[in-house]
Amino acid sequence: LIELFDRYEAKATFNLGYGHLGFQGAKSYHGRTPVDVSKVTVEEVKELYRNHEVGGHGLYHSDLAHIGLPNAMYEIVEDKAKLESLVGYPLSMFAYPFGLYNEDVKQLLKEAGYKGARTVKSTHSFDLPEDPFELHPTCHHNDSKLMDLAQEFVSTKSSFKPSLFYVWGHGYEFDGDDNWERIEELVSYIAQYKDEIWFATNGQILSYDKDHKYD
């Protein structure tokens, strides 16, 4: 996936759970196919993601909204500290495990030093988020409207209103669905307009303007 993004000069934020890095036998059934969900080792992280952004995802990908605040804080802080020791910069973005969160979890992320967090709620729109800790994506990469949305987004590029086309998903899903051509179709299409469209990471999106309403 990174090789593909780099080829088209696309950018992405990869949310990692430190506790699962390099774990052997981390299998998940996606569709009918068992897939390896932990292909990356601790030693590979810094070099592998050098052209992208690493974000937090909780130490063990637990449901932070229901494991109790002390446990949730531990998973958030420990994951963040461990990943920062690997990449050499402060993590600013988070993705909620299972997309589950509440106001307490949002507050814990703020106290840990995060600047924003992604949900899994597809909007099918291109609006910038009202709340940086509820960064709702446009769609998942398996959304049936993916390319329609991409084409609609491209048609808005001359608008004076800032717009955001945000796609989320998991790299291992392409193995499970055997549809790597889908993400390449998207990225290669958008890349045709790279002189007019800014490819950005989550952190870059939320900090692109010092006068933005989040600041």
Side-chain angles (χ1 to χ4, degrees), residues 73-85:
M73 191 59 171
Y74 172 77
E75 287 227 15
I76 291 168
V77 172
E78 189 71 5
D79 180 56
K80 188 172 189 289
K82 294 289 190 181
L83 291 174
E84 288 176 345
S85 72

Side-chain angles (χ1 to χ4, degrees), residues 3-36:
E3 180 183 323
L4 186 152
F5 286 161
D6 288 348
R7 188 190 321 150
Y8 290 102
E9 300 180 8
K11 292 292 182 180
T13 295
F14 290 88
N15 297 95
L16 308 179
Y18 183 90
H20 287 160
L21 290 176
F23 182 76
Q24 298 298 315
K27 302 292 184 181
S28 176
Y29 278 85
H30 184 74
R32 297 180 179 180
T33 307
V35 292
D36 185 350

Side-chain angles (χ1 to χ4, degrees), residues 138-164:
T138 303
C139 67
H140 185 274
H141 59 68
N142 270 343
D143 195 300
S144 61
K145 296 183 178 180
L146 177 69
M147 293 308 299
D148 291 337
L149 288 165
Q151 291 165 14
E152 181 183 347
F153 175 72
V154 166
S155 71
T156 69
K157 59 184 171 52
S158 60
S159 171
F160 289 103
K161 178 184 177 181
S163 56
L164 172 65

Side-chain angles (χ1 to χ4, degrees), residues 5-6 48 54 66 136 151 182 198 202 210:
F5 286 161
D6 288 348
L48 183 63
V54 168
H66 297 95
H136 303 312
Q151 291 165 14
R182 184 165 182 79
W198 181 35
N202 289 7
K210 293 296 183 182

